[in-house]
């Protein structure tokens, strides 16, 4: 059994930035589970499936194989053998991922992959249901959050830096809608595990959050 750190929290809370830095400092493997949902979302979008077509998505799920590997320590997501990592980080894919992740069959598909990665090695895994559902026995559980305004501003700056068109009002609306969906779905909704440590990063620097999490990792 590996040493497992679970980080859950809403979109834009900084989970992946923080988890990557903790992984570096502690020598953990960083597992980004949102990227796996995004990989499946790419598949359904390519097939022209609409987010409301739940039977179609469940059917298509059977032919989608998501695997991951690491290139210089950076997680790569493969969809039926094709590396789709560069396609994952768009708002369209993120929104589709949020919709399809509410479908139990989709979640089931990724559950074994996530659990087996954590059983084999020391990992820091981020997502929405890691502490509550995927790794209930994790050594450290963190619930990382920040205000909607902070998260929207961070997303806006990120997109702007990449030179992508963005509108703060639309990003704020999307974040609110995604929170609503992720927190209120029936299967494995986003919530703080009873034994998770709450960190609100709204007024903290990245390094402050990283140091705080590292201080809980007794390894
Ligand atoms: O963390 P992210 O933005 O890459 O995740 C995209 C969507 O995937 C998110 O809105 C909800 C879903 N997701 C999930 O339901 N469970 C996870 N463990 C990770 C992500």
């Amino acid at each position: 059994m590996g040493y497992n750190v679970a980080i859950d929290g809403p979109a834009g809370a900084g989970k992946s930035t923080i988890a990557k830095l903790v992984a570096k400092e502690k020598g953990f493997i960083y597992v980004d589970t949102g990227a796996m949902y995004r990989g499946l979302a790419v598949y359904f979008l390519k097939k022209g499936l609409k987010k409301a077509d739940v039977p179609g998505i469940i059917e298509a799920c059977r032919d989608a194989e998501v695997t991951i590997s690491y290139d210089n320590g950076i997680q790569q997501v493969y969809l039926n053998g094709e590396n789709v990592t560069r396609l994952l980080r768009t708002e369209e894919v993120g929104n589709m991922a949020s919709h399809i992740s509410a479908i139990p069959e989709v979640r089931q598909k990724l559950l074994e992959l996530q659990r087996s990665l954590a059983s084999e090695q020391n990992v820091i895994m981020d997502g929405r249901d890691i502490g509550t559902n995927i790794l209930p026995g994790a050594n450290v559980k963190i619930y990382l959050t920040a205000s909607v305004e902070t998260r929207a501003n961070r997303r806006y700056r990120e997109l702007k830096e990449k030179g992508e068109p963005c509108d703060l009002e639309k990003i704020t609306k999307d974040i609110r809608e995604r929170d609503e969906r992720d927190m209120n779905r029936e299967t494995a909704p986003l919530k703080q595990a009873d034994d998770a440590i709450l960190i609100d990063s709204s007024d903290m620097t990245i390094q402050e959050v990283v140091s705080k999490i590292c201080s809980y990792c007794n390894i």
Side-chain angles (χ1 to χ4, degrees):
M1 186 75 187
Y3 190 89
N4 294 167
V5 180
I7 303 197
D8 292 301
K15 296 184 298 295
S16 67
T17 306
I18 302 288
K20 275 180 206 157
L21 291 166
V22 174
K24 205 166 170 196
E25 197 158 322
K26 289 281 175 185
F28 299 149
I29 304 278
Y30 166 50
V31 182
D32 173 359
T33 62
M36 299 175 190
Y37 286 95
R38 286 172 184 260
L40 285 178
V42 165
Y43 182 70
F44 302 137
L45 287 169
K46 271 190 179 168
K47 280 191 118 37
L49 286 160
K50 298 275 174 284
K51 55 182 188 257
D53 182 7
V54 175
I57 288 172
I58 293 172
E59 173 73 27
C61 223
R62 293 203 197 118
D63 303 321
E65 203 53 59
V66 174
T67 50
I68 68 164
S69 73
Y70 288 85
D71 182 5
N72 278 326
I74 298 167
Q75 177 179 299
Q76 305 292 311
V77 175
Y78 290 82
L79 184 60
N80 295 335
E82 184 198 345
N83 188 336
V84 292
T85 313
R86 73 197 151 76
L87 306 177
L88 303 181
R89 307 237 58 96
T90 67
E91 295 302 293
E92 185 194 19
V93 170
N95 277 328
M96 184 68 167
S98 173
H99 277 96
I100 57 130
S101 63
I103 304 171
E105 287 81 353
V106 169
R107 304 200 71 80
Q108 190 60 33
K109 176 127 200 140
L110 299 175
L111 180 136
E112 281 312 316
L113 171 61
Q114 293 166 4
R115 284 200 179 142
S116 71
L117 287 164
S119 72
E120 291 158 5
Q121 53 211 340
N122 297 344
V123 300
I124 178 162
M125 185 178 287
D126 80 0
R128 303 293 189 285
D129 63 336
I130 311 306
T132 50
N133 188 44
I134 303 294
L135 307 175
N139 302 80
V140 178
K141 294 183 189 176
I142 305 290
Y143 189 83
L144 183 64
T145 191
S147 68
V148 171
E149 292 70 28
T150 305
R151 291 186 281 132
N153 274 311
R154 285 178 187 162
R155 213 39 131 208
Y156 177 77
R157 278 200 306 269
E158 234 174 66
L159 290 169
K160 213 149 190 161
E161 268 167 31
K162 281 195 215 158
E164 285 177 31
C166 49
D167 167 1
L168 184 59
E169 233 170 83
K170 176 159 190 322
I171 294 173
T172 308
K173 183 170 165 277
D174 278 355
I175 284 192
R176 281 190 207 283
E177 285 173 5
R178 203 182 298 184
D179 281 0
E180 173 70 22
R181 266 196 308 276
D182 294 351
M183 292 175 184
N184 293 304
R185 66 184 177 216
E186 256 175 53
T187 312
L190 166 66
K191 63 173 190 270
Q192 185 181 345
D194 293 339
D195 51 352
I197 298 152
L198 174 68
I199 300 180
D200 184 328
S201 71
S202 304
D203 297 314
M204 291 172 80
T205 65
I206 290 174
Q207 196 45 51
E208 281 170 341
V209 179
V210 170
S211 301
K212 189 159 186 170
I213 295 176
C214 284
S215 74
Y216 292 114
C217 301
N218 301 317
I219 186 170

